[in-house]
Amino acid sequence: MTTRVAVAGATGRLGSLVCEIVEADPAFELVARLGRASDTEAGADAHLLVDVSHPDASPAIVERALARGQRVLVGTSGWSEDRLTALAATVAATPGAAVLVVPNFSLGSVLGTALAQIAAKFYDSIEVIEAHHPGKVDSPSGTAVRTAELMAKARNGRPVDAPHADQSPRGELVAGIPVHSLRLAGVVAKQEVRLGGDGEVLTITHDTHSNAAYRAGISAALHALLTAQGLTVGLDGVLGLSGLAGSGAGVSA
């Protein structure tokens, strides 16, 4: 028996790829491609909703899906720690709810964030630089926000040395860590975490050259959601990487 899937944001770069993957997998049936002009009840008969829409629209889309009893896979940016805390409360109050929030579907990105968490415990000078194509509407990226939040959590409250953080060219502070965003033609996605210490700099870099980097992660997330329970944040748990960086690599509720 196939699982019926609706995709919100189906006409975007990531949405088109999700639709392609769903249609190619015999375990799933794509029943709705949803866009901005779609009726709010379109795709209501799907068992699983994939949200890869817009940061402003995403919370309402997820809320409606949970109210309908749908399992939800969220690949939209903008799900900060505050939004996730509110979502966790909603999921906990909804019997049988299952939501998987994935800031980045790339295996390399997940590994890069896990390595950054490990390194963050040993360096006090930390900055994040992320670059994306000009069409990306939000900055900093959801991946950069999540990386900064998890590094801060790994430090157990120990502050990062971020001099002159009140100056706008120093980037946006996320969990006390400066994050710098670039939007450039010729770029798909890139993230650098730079950690400075006495006489050395450690740089953890991940480059995405095409959307093909997301295929394995999207497929793994779709299948994991079939049996997931509650709220799970991050692809690391789905891929068996949650123990790599110690506690805090993923969030479940």
Side-chain angles (χ1 to χ4, degrees):
M1 183 176 179
T2 58
T3 298
R4 297 166 61 83
V5 180
V7 179
T11 60
R13 293 183 182 210
L14 188 56
S16 298
L17 181 60
V18 171
C19 290
E20 181 183 326
I21 291 170
V22 169
E23 289 184 312
D25 193 322
F28 301 106
E29 177 188 0
L30 183 63
V31 297
R33 297 172 183 259
L34 310 177
R36 292 182 181 179
S38 299
D39 186 275
T40 56
E41 290 306 306
D45 59 340
H47 302 120
L48 190 157
L49 178 95
V50 180
D51 170 41
V52 283
S53 58
H54 187 281
D56 293 339
S58 184
I61 291 172
V62 173
E63 184 177 351
R64 285 195 298 269
L66 287 173
R68 292 193 291 253
Q70 294 173 316
R71 291 175 172 268
V72 187
L73 171 59
V74 182
T76 304
S77 291
W79 285 89
S80 63
E81 196 70 33
D82 290 342
R83 274 193 176 184
L84 290 172
T85 298
L87 178 59
T90 301
V91 171
T94 307
V99 181
L100 173 55
V101 179
V102 179
N104 196 308
F105 287 103
S106 162
L107 173 61
S109 175
V110 175
L111 283 166
T113 295
L115 293 172
Q117 285 179 258
I118 295 171
K121 302 172 186 178
F122 301 97
Y123 294 88
D124 289 331
S125 184
I126 306 173
E127 309 231 356
V128 179
I129 305 167
E130 60 94 355
H132 282 79
H133 56 86
K136 185 168 179 60
V137 297
D138 61 314
S139 60
S141 69
T143 302
V145 169
R146 186 68 180 157
T147 300
E149 289 174 344
L150 290 177
M151 285 193 293
K153 187 176 295 185
R155 294 174 59 79
N156 293 319
R158 185 160 51 94
V160 168
D161 182 14
H164 312 297
D166 58 327
Q167 299 175 2
S168 57
R170 292 287 295 115
E172 178 179 330
L173 279 179
V174 178
I177 297 173
V179 178
H180 310 266
S181 297
L182 310 177
R183 295 295 174 262
L184 297 171
V187 176
V188 176
K190 180 185 181 77
Q191 178 169 287
E192 291 184 16
V193 178
R194 299 187 184 183
L195 305 103
D198 292 338
E200 65 175 2
V201 173
L202 171 64
T203 302
I204 301 170
T205 303
H206 176 256
D207 283 286
T208 301
H209 299 294
S210 79
N211 283 351
Y214 306 133
R215 286 183 175 274
I218 292 171
S219 180
L222 285 167
H223 283 273
L225 191 55
L226 296 178
T227 56
Q229 295 181 347
L231 172 65
T232 302
V233 180
L235 196 61
D236 40 3
V238 173
L239 299 174
L241 301 174
S242 57
L244 181 62
S247 62
V251 178
S252 296

